[in-house]
C-alpha cells in the first residue's frame, strides 16, 4: 500500500513567504516592490497572448546545460505544460517552481512534461534548477522571443531594480542584455 503525503497549498506557502520577506526586506524596498506589483496587476489584467484552442507556436531554446530543446520534440512525447518565470532572484518564482516540482509526478503520470522558461542566461537557469532540485526542463529565452508569443513581456521599472541593487542584487547580471524585460 502506498501513501501520498499532501502537499501544502500554494496559497499557504505564499502567505509564509510574504511574512518572511516582509521581515527580511527593508521597509522602503518592500513598499517599492508592493507598489510595483500593484501597478503590474492593474496594467496587465490579461497577460496571455494565446487563447484556449490556439496552436502553441513552436520554439527551440537551450536548456540549463546548453542542449537545444524544441517544443515540437517535446510534443512528440506527449502534452507539455509551459510556465514562464522572471529569474532565480525572484522568491515568488522560486516558490512557484518548487510547487510545480511537487506536482510533476501527476503531470508525468498523465503522459505530459513540464518546461519552465526564463529570459535569464543558461548559467542562472542551471543554478535555479540545481538549487530547487527541479527535475524538469528549465530553458533560457534570452531576449524573451518565445515569451512574447505566449505572454506579456514588460520592462521592469527602475525603482524595483534600484531597490534590488540597494539590497546587493544586481538584476542585470542575470540576463544577457540590459533591457530589463521580464515575462
Amino acid at each position: 500500500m502506498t501513501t501520498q503525503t499532501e502537499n501544502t497549498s500554494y496559497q499557504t506557502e505564499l502567505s509564509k513567504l510574504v511574512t518572511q520577506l516582509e521581515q527580511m526586506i527593508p521597509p522602503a524596498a518592500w513598499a517599492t516592490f508592493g507598489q510595483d506589483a500593484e501597478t503590474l496587476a492593474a496594467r496587465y489584467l490579461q497577460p496571455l497572448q494565446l487563447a484556449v484552442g490556439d496552436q502553441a507556436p513552436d520554439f527551440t531554446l537551450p536548456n540549463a546545460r546548453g542542449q537545444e530543446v524544441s517544443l515540437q520534440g517535446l510534443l512528440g512525447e506527449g502534452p507539455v505544460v509551459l510556465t514562464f518565470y522572471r529569474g532565480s532572484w525572484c522568491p515568488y518564482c522560486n516558490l512557484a517552481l518548487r510547487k510545480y516540482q511537487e506536482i510533476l509526478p501527476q503531470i508525468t503520470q498523465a503522459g505530459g512534461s513540464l518546461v519552465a522558461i526564463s529570459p535569464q542566461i543558461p548559467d542562472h537557469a542551471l543554478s535555479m534548477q540545481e538549487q530547487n532540485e527541479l527535475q524538469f526542463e528549465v530553458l533560457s529565452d534570452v531576449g524573451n522571443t518565445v515569451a512574447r508569443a505566449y505572454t506579456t513581456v514588460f520592462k521592469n521599472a527602475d525603482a524595483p531594480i534600484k531597490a534590488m541593487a540597494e539590497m546587493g542584487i544586481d538584476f542585470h547580471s542575470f540576463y544577457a542584455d540590459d533591457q530589463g524585460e521580464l515575462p
Side-chain angles (χ1 to χ4, degrees):
M1 183 168 137
T2 60
T3 60
Q4 182 177 359
T5 59
E6 189 175 320
N7 294 329
T8 310
S9 79
Y10 175 78
Q11 288 300 324
T12 300
E13 293 292 323
L14 179 60
S15 293
K16 289 178 188 176
L17 177 61
V18 168
T19 299
Q20 291 171 345
L21 292 173
E22 201 170 14
Q23 294 170 359
M24 294 171 38
I25 295 175
W30 183 250
T32 297
F33 298 145
Q35 180 60 48
D36 186 54
E38 288 176 19
T39 300
L40 291 171
R43 185 174 295 152
Y44 302 111
L45 298 175
Q46 181 59 291
L48 297 179
Q49 299 298 322
L50 301 175
V52 173
D54 287 349
Q55 183 168 344
D58 193 23
F59 60 81
T60 299
L61 293 171
N63 67 13
R65 290 175 172 69
Q67 301 163 320
E68 296 291 314
V69 175
S70 74
L71 178 60
Q72 203 62 33
L74 292 169
L75 287 171
E77 298 174 19
V80 177
V81 176
L82 291 179
T83 185
F84 292 86
Y85 69 99
R86 296 174 181 193
S88 55
W89 55 266
C90 174
Y92 302 104
C93 298
N94 290 328
L95 172 61
L97 292 176
R98 284 192 307 273
K99 298 308 282 182
Y100 277 120
Q101 178 60 47
E102 288 180 10
I103 64 166
L104 183 60
Q106 295 165 294
I107 293 170
T108 56
Q109 228 172 20
S113 61
L114 173 62
V115 176
I117 301 175
S118 170
Q120 63 186 359
I121 58 177
D123 285 351
H124 287 292
L126 181 59
S127 295
M128 165 69 84
Q129 195 166 29
E130 289 173 345
Q131 282 177 330
N132 290 296
E133 300 177 3
L134 304 178
Q135 297 170 355
F136 52 85
E137 290 286 5
V138 177
L139 306 180
S140 292
D141 180 23
V142 173
N144 288 295
T145 304
V146 173
R148 287 180 208 292
Y150 285 85
T151 190
T152 299
V153 173
F154 65 93
K155 180 168 176 38
N156 202 9
D158 291 336
I161 292 172
K162 182 180 179 207
M164 289 173 69
E166 290 170 357
M167 294 170 43
I169 301 168
D170 179 3
F171 171 81
H172 292 293
S173 71
F174 291 87
Y175 307 99
D177 60 32
D178 63 353
Q179 296 299 308
E181 293 183 330
L182 298 171

